[in-house]
Amino acid sequence: MSATYENIVVEKDDGVTWLSLNRPEKRNAMSPQLHYEMDDALRWLAHDKDTRVLILTGKGQAFCAGQDLKLYFRETQNNPEERARAQQASNSWRWHRIVNFPKPTIAMVNGPCFGGAFTAVCACDIALAADEATFGLSEVNWGVIPGGIVSWNIAEMLSHRDAMFYAMTGLPFDGRKAAEIKLVNYSVPLADLREETLKIARILQEKNPFTLRYTKEAVRHVRGMSHDQAYNFLAAKLQALQHVDKEGGMQKGMSQFLDDKSYKPGFGAFKP
Ligand code: ACO
């Protein structure tokens, strides 16, 4: 399936789907219409057979300059129904749809990333940035708090010191710093970012998709559980995986390692 949008672009490349915010002239600031389109795209991409890995990024020089201050805030301030609809779509795609996406997700932060864009970065399983990218929790400069769930995102993702420092000062930081404070996994020069991101996507693409899905759900959901809850949850999850795994990953892997001696798990995925 495919669809045509005005504010985003979906591009498929042999199993990897690039989902890009596409308002480069406004640094990909998020308008209500962009939110509706992202919410729609992530809904069908979740079940799209051509999509094995999803990369979220921005067209042009920016990743995303946060909420569109004119279209999202000013133009809906006297239209509570439209504001509520936009808010619902905004929260839906930036968090729920990405977190629950059944395939691996990578945020590729290619340039400015501000405010509400942090939520989408935190929602992705993996995040890479350009060394030159600029991150900023600029809300304090607008007289607002990091809302939506941005404060919750940074409290969960960053150390208390870094979350407080960047939220309270509003000071921008670059991709290298984002990697140092673990907002992203690592950064590379902008010139290498696309190729590096695709390399990681191809590694994920080769793995058993059922195992990947259950792995990301396991790691995501054990946060906040007690040891006993996690032990119980993971045991049930493993059982469920063996039930749904149409590729029989565990049996196949063991047979390739123990019987055929054709595969060493330390070096990669089993051969389907
Ligand atoms: N909302 C609406 N329009 C925006 C936004 C935004 N968040 N960000 C950029 N734009 C528009 C600019 O107004 C400008 O429009 P114009 O050409 O009609 O004048 C256009 O995008 C290009 O922006 P520039 O500022 O000229 O681009 P530059 O590359 O110099 O700077 C940067 C990019 C750093 C992202 C700058 O635009 C900026 O600081 N934007 C605001 C970032 C921000 O604080 N976002 C809000 C976070 S709070 C929240 O999300 C709740």
Side-chain angles (χ1 to χ4, degrees):
M1 171 168 178
S2 209
T4 309
Y5 299 107
E6 284 173 23
N7 298 271
I8 66 172
V9 183
V10 178
E11 292 160 299
K12 296 184 183 181
D13 172 14
D14 192 21
V16 172
T17 296
W18 296 80
L19 177 58
S20 306
L21 309 187
N22 188 31
R23 301 183 69 224
E25 72 291 353
K26 298 292 180 190
R27 304 301 181 260
N28 299 320
M30 298 178 285
S31 63
Q33 194 55 38
L34 180 144
H35 288 310
Y36 303 142
E37 293 180 10
M38 284 299 280
D39 202 34
D40 182 69
L42 285 161
R43 178 187 52 73
W44 64 262
L45 283 170
H47 307 289
D48 176 50
K49 291 205 172 12
D50 302 333
T51 301
R52 286 189 66 141
V53 180
L54 184 86
I55 299 175
L56 174 69
T57 191
K59 287 284 184 191
Q61 55 185 272
F63 176 73
C64 172
Q67 298 290 6
D68 189 306
L69 295 153
K70 180 165 178 275
L71 299 179
Y72 184 85
F73 287 115
R74 186 185 276 172
E75 291 195 357
T76 63
Q77 68 192 5
N78 296 320
N79 186 347
E81 276 180 24
E82 182 66 16
R83 169 73 68 87
R85 199 164 86 88
Q87 214 164 30
Q88 199 279 332
S90 167
N91 293 335
S92 168
W93 81 261
R94 284 178 309 141
W95 188 251
H96 297 288
R97 289 215 190 271
I98 298 181
V99 162
N100 295 314
F101 202 76
K103 302 143 193 200
T105 53
I106 306 175
M108 186 181 93
V109 184
N110 51 310
C113 173
F114 282 89
F118 274 53
T119 297
V121 173
C122 292
C124 286
D125 303 321
I126 290 171
L128 306 183
D131 291 341
E132 302 91 327
T134 309
F135 292 79
L137 291 164
S138 55
E139 287 88 338
V140 69
N141 301 326
W142 299 107
V144 295
I145 60 169
I149 55 164
V150 174
S151 290
W152 183 79
N153 292 138
I154 57 168
E156 208 199 25
M157 189 70 63
L158 306 181
S159 74
H160 182 66
R161 285 275 169 247
D162 287 322
M164 281 295 186
F165 182 84
Y166 290 110
M168 293 183 70
T169 63
L171 283 172
F173 52 96
D174 66 12
R176 284 196 189 88
K177 187 70 183 177
E180 190 186 313
I181 65 176
K182 284 297 162 206
L183 178 58
V184 300
N185 292 87
Y186 59 94
S187 68
V188 296
L190 178 60
D192 302 331
L193 182 63
R194 196 178 164 88
E195 195 183 328
E196 183 65 26
T197 308
L198 197 53
K199 185 182 93 188
I200 300 301
R202 297 289 181 215
I203 291 172
L204 294 168
Q205 188 182 353
E206 284 182 4
K207 302 213 179 293
N208 177 320
F210 301 100
T211 312
L212 269 186
R213 176 178 179 170
Y214 275 63
T215 298
K216 63 181 266 185
E217 289 173 359
V219 174
R220 173 82 57 183
H221 290 294
V222 293
R223 301 195 79 170
M225 284 188 194
S226 69
H227 165 275
D228 286 354
Q229 287 168 331
Y231 192 79
N232 194 279
F233 168 77
L234 292 174
K237 202 83 187 152
L238 184 58
Q239 291 264 321
L241 169 59
Q242 282 164 8
H243 183 68
V244 300
D245 180 6
K246 306 268 188 312
E247 297 185 11
M250 192 173 179
Q251 295 311 325
K252 211 173 278 184
M254 283 202 294
S255 154
Q256 286 171 354
F257 181 66
L258 298 172
D259 307 327
D260 310 343
K261 304 217 177 282
S262 61
Y263 151 73
K264 301 226 185 243
F267 297 147
F270 72 91
K271 297 180 187 67

